[in-house]
Amino acid sequence: MLEIDGLDHSYGRHRALDNVAIRVHPGEVVAILGANGAGKTTLLSAVAGLLRPSGGSIRYRGTELVGLRGHQIVELGIATVTEARHLFGPLSVAENLSLGAFTAAARAAEPASRDYVFSLFPHLARRRSQVVRTMSGGEQQMIAVGRALMARPSLLLLDEPSLGLAPVIAAELFAALERIARDGTTSILMVEQNARRALKMAHRGYLLSLGRIVGEGRAEALAQDTAVAESYLGL
Ligand code: ATP
């Protein structure tokens, strides 16, 4: 459903993405693994319409995304949780979630979507009236994922969802992501430095190094590959 081909991006003379090709099929969880500076955020930003790549093509269900604006890409069914989260601190949990339901289809389904998000994150349900700026990093990450789901995406893009979270909170978040994946209507493309965790839930993975795809395969195979283990699993 997502077909990325020949994707290039340069910041001035620095080549951040070099001829990247990636596929995400319906119902799949795909992980992109890479060290700091590998180009992971640049790649997701290009898919989400947050930056215009220097070259290449990103097709979603046959529609070319390069050149479209971020909100048009959300309307096509792709929602993104960026590293920066961009939550509205003075607003409550429930109000932040509502902001995610901005397309016409999402607005119509808002109550059902909210129930789904609260079933994934019961903790948020209990705190629905709390203002977001007073909440922990882990809670804010759950709200950011919840807000993306309110758009009723068929593809969810996640930029380092576990970054900076305590291990127990990261585990809770990944459990919710696994449930989203199992529910089957939303495919997931995530970039993660926590390669072990990401490969546990992903079907397939790609290895990104200095802007190039240097490996790809089924998640179990990548997790067992010693070269991958040395470079990405911190062994
Ligand atoms: P991290 O895990 O540290 O977030 P990343 O894999 O997401 O890294 P990117 O943020 O995509 O990597 O950056 C890829 C490369 O492009 C890095 O070398 C980075 O310094 C450079 N870069 C990113 N954004 C800019 C920018 N706005 N201007 C110039 N260089 C940039």
Side-chain angles (χ1 to χ4, degrees):
M1 69 198 300
L2 183 73
E3 299 168 311
I4 301 177
D5 285 298
L7 195 66
D8 291 325
H9 192 67
S10 297
Y11 297 104
R13 287 167 54 186
H14 178 76
R15 194 114 193 235
L17 293 177
D18 186 354
N19 198 23
V20 166
I22 284 173
R23 296 283 181 275
V24 180
H25 304 296
E28 259 195 332
V29 178
V30 174
I32 299 187
L33 311 177
N36 280 324
K40 304 184 300 296
T41 299
T42 303
L43 171 62
L44 279 200
S45 302
V47 179
L50 303 173
L51 69 78
R52 193 185 172 114
S54 321
S57 138
I58 307 172
R59 282 181 316 280
Y60 186 65
R61 294 172 157 169
T63 301
E64 179 59 56
L65 302 187
V66 172
L68 296 185
R69 310 280 295 272
H71 69 92
Q72 295 173 306
I73 290 173
V74 177
E75 274 162 21
L76 289 172
I78 302 179
T80 307
V81 180
T82 63
E83 229 174 304
R85 296 190 196 127
H86 299 299
L87 297 173
F88 292 87
L91 300 185
S92 70
V93 171
E95 286 164 333
N96 269 276
L97 290 181
S98 291
L99 290 171
F102 68 84
T103 67
R107 250 197 322 277
E110 191 177 334
S113 304
R114 191 184 300 112
D115 288 348
Y116 179 59
V117 170
F118 285 152
S119 76
L120 287 172
F121 301 114
H123 182 78
L124 294 185
R126 292 192 289 276
R127 293 176 175 242
R128 66 180 73 200
S129 306
Q130 187 168 337
V131 288
V132 161
R133 105 169 91 68
T134 63
M135 299 179 77
S136 73
E139 290 166 336
Q140 294 197 13
Q141 187 63 293
M142 291 173 193
I143 298 164
V145 172
R147 186 182 57 184
L149 290 173
M150 295 295 290
R152 292 190 93 74
S154 42
L155 176 64
L156 185 61
L157 306 179
L158 300 168
D159 194 355
E160 308 236 14
S162 73
L163 189 70
L165 303 188
V168 56
I169 304 293
E172 204 178 312
L173 182 72
F174 272 103
L177 296 176
E178 276 171 10
R179 202 183 130 195
I180 295 167
R182 267 201 316 276
D183 289 344
T185 50
T186 310
S187 306
I188 295 178
L189 176 62
M190 68 160 101
V191 303
E192 252 296 339
Q193 284 197 47
N194 186 346
R196 197 181 302 280
R197 201 80 198 63
L199 287 177
K200 237 166 122 180
M201 92 169 259
H203 300 108
R204 287 188 306 113
Y206 291 86
L207 311 179
L208 188 65
S209 175
L210 300 176
R212 289 169 185 251
I213 299 290
V214 295
E216 62 181 281
R218 304 225 32 101
E220 316 87 77
L222 289 178
Q224 282 164 13
D225 185 313
T226 45
V228 172
E230 279 166 17
S231 306
Y232 299 92
L233 301 180
L235 295 178

